[in-house]
Amino acid sequence: MTPEAKGQRQAFQFYGRRKGRRLREGRRSLVDTLLPKLSVPIPQEPGATLDPRALFDAPREIWLEIGFGGGEHLAAQAERHPEIGFIGCEVFENGVAKLLGEIERRGLANVRVLANDARPLLAALTPRSIGRGQDPSVAALPR
C-alpha cells in the first residue's frame, strides 16, 4: 500500500456501529424507496464541489446536522423552518430509517440525508454554503 493510500484510508476510518437491530418492514421500505430520493450526492471527481442549494427549491439558507441520531431534532427544526434546507448526516442505519419515518409522517420537503460519514461532504461543499451547523466538527466547514 502506498503512503498516500494509507493516509487516505486512515483519514476516513470509522469507529462505531453502522447497524443495530434489523429494521422492521416499514422502515426497510423507507430506506429502499425514500432514501434514494433524498440522498445527498457526493461528487466523485477530484476537486469537484457541491452547492447544497441545488438540492432544494430556493432555500433561504442551508443548515447541516452531523450525527442526527434518530432525527427528532432535525425533523422538528425542519418542520419549524420550512424556508430552510436541512442536510442531515448519520452513519447509523436505524437512525436514518427513523428520520425517514418522521419526514414521511410530517410531510417534510426540506430535508436531505447523507447516510454515511460526513467528512467527504464537508470536503466537497462550496465555501460559505452552510448557514448553521449542529456539531463541533462544523468548525471545519469551508469558509
Side-chain angles (χ1 to χ4, degrees):
M1 179 180 298
T2 67
E4 293 83 19
K6 185 177 180 184
Q8 269 187 329
R9 195 183 91 214
Q10 289 175 345
F12 293 112
Q13 192 163 357
F14 175 76
Y15 299 95
R17 293 187 316 160
R18 290 191 182 263
K19 292 187 177 191
R21 292 188 175 160
R22 196 172 122 211
L23 295 176
R24 293 183 181 151
E25 186 56 39
R27 288 201 175 158
R28 169 57 49 207
S29 176
L30 288 172
V31 169
D32 293 342
T33 60
L34 186 56
L35 182 58
K37 296 174 187 173
L38 301 179
S39 285
V40 176
I42 303 298
Q44 299 301 311
E45 304 81 31
T49 60
L50 171 68
D51 180 2
R53 290 181 170 278
L55 302 172
F56 302 94
D57 292 330
R60 189 183 83 205
E61 198 173 39
I62 304 294
W63 292 0
L64 174 67
E65 185 165 347
I66 299 172
F68 59 73
E72 299 90 347
H73 177 263
L74 178 59
Q77 288 293 319
E79 188 172 47
R80 192 172 296 122
H81 301 284
E83 75 284 3
I84 304 293
F86 288 85
I87 298 175
C89 304
E90 178 61 58
V91 297
F92 191 55
E93 181 183 44
N94 300 64
V96 171
K98 187 171 182 183
L99 173 63
L100 293 173
E102 287 298 308
I103 290 169
E104 183 178 67
R105 185 178 72 78
R106 298 176 191 224
L108 301 173
N110 60 333
V111 179
R112 300 297 177 268
V113 180
L114 178 63
N116 212 329
D117 193 315
R119 290 174 287 187
L121 172 65
L122 293 175
L125 288 173
T126 55
R128 295 176 293 284
S129 60
I130 301 297
R132 182 183 292 184
Q134 298 291 327
D135 186 79
S137 67
V138 173
L141 286 176
R143 303 227 183 253

